[in-house]
Amino acid sequence: MGPAARPAAPSTTSGAAPPRRRVPAMAAAAALAAVLGIAPAGAAQTGPADTAPYDTPAKTPVAQGYGGAVSSVDPDASAAGIEVLRRGGNAVDAAVATAAALGVTEPYSAGVGGGGYLVYYDARTHKVHTLDGRETAPLSADEKLFLGEDGKPLPFADAVTSGLGVGTPGTPATWEDALDTWGTRSLGQVLKPAEQLARDGFTVDATFRQQTADNQARFKDFPASAELFLPGGKLPVVGSTFTNPDLARTYALLAKKGTGAVYKGELARDIVDTVRKPPVDPKAERTVHPGDLTARDLREYRTKQQAPTRTGYRGLDVYGMAPSSSGGTSVAEGLNILERTDLSELSNRDYLHRYIEASRIAFADRGRWVGDPAAEDVPTKGLTSQRFADSRACLIKPDAVLKSPVKPGDPTRPGKPGSCDTRGHAAPTTYEGENTTHLTTADKWGNVVAYTLTIEQTGGSGITVPDRGFLLNNELTDFSFAPADPAVHDPNLPGPGKRPRSSMSPTIVLDDNKPVLALGSPGGATIITTVLQTMLNHLDRGMPLVDAIAAPRASQRNAAQTELEPGLWNGAERAELEALGHSFKQNPEIGAATGVQRLPGGKWLAAAETQRRGGGSAMVVRPAG
């Protein structure tokens, strides 16, 4: 059994956020219990109006126990998922309940207006399944989607805050399809806690206020966004209660009519109208480009059930998300490149050097080969093969640094063993927004979900659908606006109905067909490096999962400089790596991971961030058996 499967003691890592006084999590639990016809343990039989304030448990980054586990960035969201598990729901039910609650408390990262990828381990069949709920471009889109009249790419900010960047949302369809295929509760049942949370409100924290402030200039130009997120024209105050009655009504509509309301009904009309004629304040000086999303685009949207990526690592089986995400292929390639090196015996400098170089190479191949497989011939098997990784690993030297952009290899024709493959043309990595959210769940039967969902950058397009309570995504800006290098084929250009390439990397690791751990992270293209580094920290360097998540990060994405968090920027390793030839720039925060780990005897460990984004929330159903 691999090292991750061994019981891990709770870490001594500190830094969890202090307890916050809230009403909603208890209200959410009561609402779910009511719809299931049972009362929460120890709760009085009262209606929502009688619910008294209570102290929510602290935002704890690690928890161990039985009956299942949930880890997310937010305690209200984790509490919603835990209550589903406590009342007999499975990991899929809990994942959807948690995701819907995150749509309330993390509206700038995810929600009804976005998309994502869900990876599911079925304990009965010992199989891993995936759902691709990525947004799609309008059927009218072509390679010129983000080119101006002069034929040059639009400024990125103009494309983001516009109807042009909005893709057909995939999140509602993901929720319903996951529940219909693997869940045990109805959509209406699992949406109830989030509906109650939106109606009663949650307590504003410093992260929510700062994210609102970062978007204030955009939000004020759209009346619906300003009314919702800047009440009275002001930023929400830390400690105040933030309510979203429009979103509560939207969740109630989905509970009653299903997600057909998003794709065919009245809500679909509102989405299309908002994209095609963005409701801009007449006083705004901003030019907001309209999009070309149509009722047909929504009506024809479908999620995709597809085989996961798979690779072996240290005797374990690592499963991830296949294209249109590049997460599964890139994490797998990075692991395969490092497979033949004993990372546990290396110094910190040598370990980080090899990890950084493996990431650099994986991103070179990602940029050349990964796009939407419905429109591109993506060599997924080749990218995840050990033979191809070996042909690329020989580029790594112990005493020298590769120069970016590194040329890609050719996974369709890997070289002979021992040969170094650099047959392509080098091209820089294109920009990808860095906001998303991730959650992980597990249940008492051993089912596991890793689910990453997003509206792209913080605040998405900045455009709220009037009277519906949610922001629209800007996912189409994940396409390349133009080829990064005209001499290199770019598989990620816009096209009709095409899904933009993503870096989301929900990952599940098995040992002998049983789950070892599941994890994922937000962070745009840094998701891949966050997941890869966290796995290496845990599997190779022996860190408890919560410490592997908390450890300072480096992110190399085939760029001239590697990004370092302060813990590495200020550490001794930076000078040692610079002496080898590495070049760095500082990034205050890379990713925000969550994970769950299976321990012996039916026990689960949930782990989240200790400090990033204010710390995460790890919970279990029962601390004791």
Side-chain angles (χ1 to χ4, degrees), residues 114-117 131-139 141 167-171 173-174 177 263 297 300-306 321-326 370-376 378 475-480 491-502 504:
Y117 299 96
L131 267 183
D132 180 333
R134 184 66 160 157
E135 300 87 341
T136 55
L139 294 170
T168 302
T171 291
T174 301
D177 291 350
Y263 299 102
D297 292 317
E300 295 189 3
Y301 181 84
R302 299 292 186 275
T303 63
K304 291 184 176 182
Q305 288 192 39
Q306 58 191 32
M321 196 69 218
S324 56
S325 178
S326 63
V370 181
D372 184 349
E376 298 286 336
V378 183
E475 292 296 347
L476 301 189
T477 61
D478 277 351
F479 284 122
S480 304
N492 190 41
L493 292 172
K498 196 173 178 181
R499 297 172 190 238
R501 181 174 61 209
S502 171
M504 288 183 272

Side-chain angles (χ1 to χ4, degrees), residues 26 57 62 168 183 193 216 220 253 374 447:
M26 181 64 80
V62 62
T168 302
Q216 187 171 10
K220 72 179 182 59
L253 177 67
N447 303 301

Side-chain angles (χ1 to χ4, degrees), residues 223-474:
S225 297
E227 181 181 359
L228 177 58
F229 300 117
L230 300 169
K234 298 179 180 179
L235 293 173
V237 177
V238 174
S240 65
T241 299
F242 187 93
T243 63
N244 191 341
D246 287 343
L247 183 57
R249 287 189 289 270
T250 294
Y251 280 158
L253 177 67
L254 297 184
K256 181 179 180 181
K257 296 188 176 181
T259 60
V262 174
Y263 299 102
K264 297 178 184 178
E266 58 195 87
L267 185 48
R269 290 192 295 271
D270 289 349
I271 292 172
V272 169
D273 289 346
T274 303
V275 172
R276 297 180 71 87
K277 295 181 180 180
V280 185
D281 189 321
K283 299 178 183 177
E285 298 179 0
R286 186 187 305 273
T287 298
V288 180
H289 298 279
D292 197 31
L293 195 72
T294 66
R296 180 187 174 191
D297 292 317
L298 270 71
R299 188 170 61 249
E300 295 189 3
Y301 181 84
R302 299 292 186 275
T303 63
K304 291 184 176 182
Q305 288 192 39
Q306 58 191 32
T309 60
R310 178 197 167 278
T311 194
Y313 188 70
R314 313 293 191 210
L316 304 173
D317 293 307
V318 181
Y319 292 88
M321 196 69 218
S324 56
S325 178
S326 63
T329 56
S330 300
V331 169
E333 183 178 352
L335 291 172
N336 287 338
I337 288 172
L338 297 167
E339 172 79 42
R340 304 195 190 283
T341 302
D342 186 354
L343 300 179
S344 67
E345 297 296 322
L346 297 181
S347 67
N348 284 343
R349 185 204 72 165
D350 291 345
Y351 159 57
L352 289 168
H353 168 64
R354 289 187 172 274
Y355 153 68
I356 288 169
E357 295 293 76
S359 299
R360 191 190 309 269
I361 294 167
F363 267 85
D365 297 325
R366 164 193 182 268
R368 168 59 184 87
W369 295 103
V370 181
D372 184 349
E376 298 286 336
D377 187 10
V378 183
T380 300
K381 280 192 174 181
L383 287 168
T384 58
S385 72
Q386 189 64 51
R387 181 181 176 185
F388 177 62
D390 289 344
S391 76
R392 302 289 279 155
C394 56
L395 297 173
I396 301 176
K397 307 301 181 186
D399 56 354
V401 174
L402 291 166
K403 184 178 180 180
S404 289
V406 170
K407 294 179 180 180
D410 187 348
T412 67
R413 295 180 299 148
K416 296 178 181 179
S419 66
C420 282
D421 189 354
T422 55
R423 286 177 279 179
H425 292 276
T429 300
T430 54
Y431 177 78
E432 186 176 336
E434 294 192 357
N435 210 300
T436 300
T437 194
H438 178 82
L439 64 95
T440 43
T441 64
D443 62 36
K444 62 184 178 182
W445 298 284
N447 303 301
V448 179
V449 171
Y451 182 22
T452 313
L453 59 161
T454 182
I455 58 173
E456 220 277 85
Q457 76 166 44
T458 307
S461 65
I463 306 171
T464 298
V465 181
D467 302 319
R468 298 300 188 177
F470 62 87
L471 287 156
L472 291 172
N473 68 81
N474 65 291

Side-chain angles (χ1 to χ4, degrees), residues 144-216:
K144 300 178 181 179
L145 179 64
F146 292 113
L147 301 183
E149 294 181 359
D150 59 0
K152 297 180 180 179
L154 295 172
F156 188 77
D158 290 357
V160 167
T161 310
S162 75
L164 282 177
V166 181
T168 302
T171 291
T174 301
W175 292 350
E176 193 158 67
D177 291 350
L179 291 171
D180 288 348
T181 308
W182 305 302
T184 66
R185 298 292 186 264
S186 70
L187 180 64
Q189 287 175 316
V190 299
L191 286 182
K192 206 68 180 175
E195 178 189 340
Q196 191 78 37
L197 184 59
R199 182 176 295 111
D200 289 350
F202 64 93
T203 304
V204 172
D205 61 14
T207 299
F208 185 84
R209 178 183 167 86
Q210 184 58 55
Q211 290 180 341
T212 309
D214 293 341
N215 283 281
Q216 187 171 10

